Amino acid sequence: MEVQRIRHASFRIVTDRGVQVYLDPWQLPEGLPPADVVAITHDHHDHCSAPDVRKLWKAGTVLVGPEAVRARLAGEGLAVQVVQVGQQRDVMGVRLRAVEAYTVSKFRASGEPTHPREKGYVGYLLEADGRRVYFAGDTDVVPPEVDAAGPVDVALVPVSGIFVMTAEEAAAQLAGRAVRRAVPMHYGAHVGTAQDAERFRRLAPCPVTVLADGESLQL
């Protein structure tokens, strides 16, 4: 399995059978292979982008996301298979299970959390090739259902702070969890810097691979 960081919080996962899975595609470069599966965590512009989904679209592409994603993409001609927390979709040997993603200590000027729990935003547990990938989405909490699923081969976690976990919070959230490796994300575009990723590398309780834009990790 290949895990490629595209940029910010966008990733491409290629299974051993060649199934192409994209997570929160945004500001994609040209020339990427078309998607078999696109999984979107929530409706914010840097995660849910109709133009970027269209770049990946082909006959048979499966688009998955919570209700907020369906609502944002309504009228775009993109059919979304809606998933709620706890539900899963099995596509071409890839299992996607939706888990909670929300913030409890990051707030807008209005006082509302940046990612309210009641919105139903999600992260994903992706299972394929006998491996498990946790894509946290925009959150500052790793929910208990991640632990219940079993060991995670790689956790893709936000580290930029402001809207999501800081590097320190991300490291603390992984402490005591069965995570074999972590990859920081949600930095380097409009929020967060490479210094956040390096700080997370120093603090995390598990091995960390920092991926530059376009770089891949082989599992």
Side-chain angles (χ1 to χ4, degrees):
M1 177 186 287
E2 176 186 0
V3 177
Q4 180 185 33
R5 181 174 186 254
I6 299 173
R7 74 188 313 256
H8 186 55
S10 299
F11 283 79
R12 168 178 167 253
I13 294 177
V14 187
T15 72
D16 292 348
R17 294 176 53 231
V19 179
Q20 303 278 339
V21 182
Y22 287 84
L23 304 169
D24 284 0
W26 180 62
Q27 293 190 350
L28 300 178
E30 298 298 326
L32 289 170
D36 296 301
V37 183
V38 177
I40 298 177
T41 59
H42 64 295
D43 58 349
H44 292 169
H45 78 280
D46 54 333
H47 299 263
C48 182
S49 164
D52 286 291
V53 174
R54 286 202 187 93
K55 282 185 179 182
L56 303 171
W57 203 259
K58 67 173 183 178
T61 297
V62 174
L63 174 58
V64 176
E67 170 59 27
V69 169
R70 187 210 61 77
R72 181 179 174 91
L73 297 180
E76 296 286 351
L78 298 168
V80 179
Q81 292 191 17
V82 174
V83 290
Q84 298 176 346
V85 170
Q87 294 181 334
Q88 67 185 41
R89 292 288 183 273
D90 295 288
V91 185
M92 300 180 67
V94 175
R95 172 165 293 176
L96 282 166
R97 187 183 317 171
V99 300
E100 284 192 300
Y102 60 94
T103 51
V104 295
S105 63
K106 312 297 180 297
F107 299 96
R108 302 190 183 281
S110 63
E112 181 185 50
T114 55
H115 302 84
R117 191 174 191 177
E118 59 270 20
K119 291 277 192 179
Y121 297 157
V122 302
Y124 291 101
L125 282 167
L126 182 152
E127 297 180 38
D129 306 329
R131 301 173 182 89
R132 184 176 292 114
V133 176
Y134 170 48
F135 182 62
D138 276 11
T139 189
D140 59 14
V141 175
V142 174
E145 54 262 41
V146 174
D147 300 318
V152 169
D153 292 283
V154 63
L156 313 176
V157 293
V159 299
S160 65
I162 302 178
F163 303 110
V164 295
M165 292 188 276
T166 64
E168 291 80 6
E169 289 167 337
Q173 282 288 315
L174 293 187
R177 292 193 146 99
V179 174
R180 295 178 175 134
R181 181 166 297 276
V183 173
M185 66 174 185
H186 206 278
Y187 67 90
H190 66 93
V191 64
T193 67
Q195 285 69 41
D196 295 308
E198 288 300 328
R199 198 162 68 255
F200 173 70
R201 190 211 298 262
R202 294 195 303 270
L203 297 170
C206 62
V208 170
T209 299
V210 176
L211 295 176
D213 291 356
E215 208 168 31
S216 293
L217 170 67
Q218 298 294 329
L219 296 182

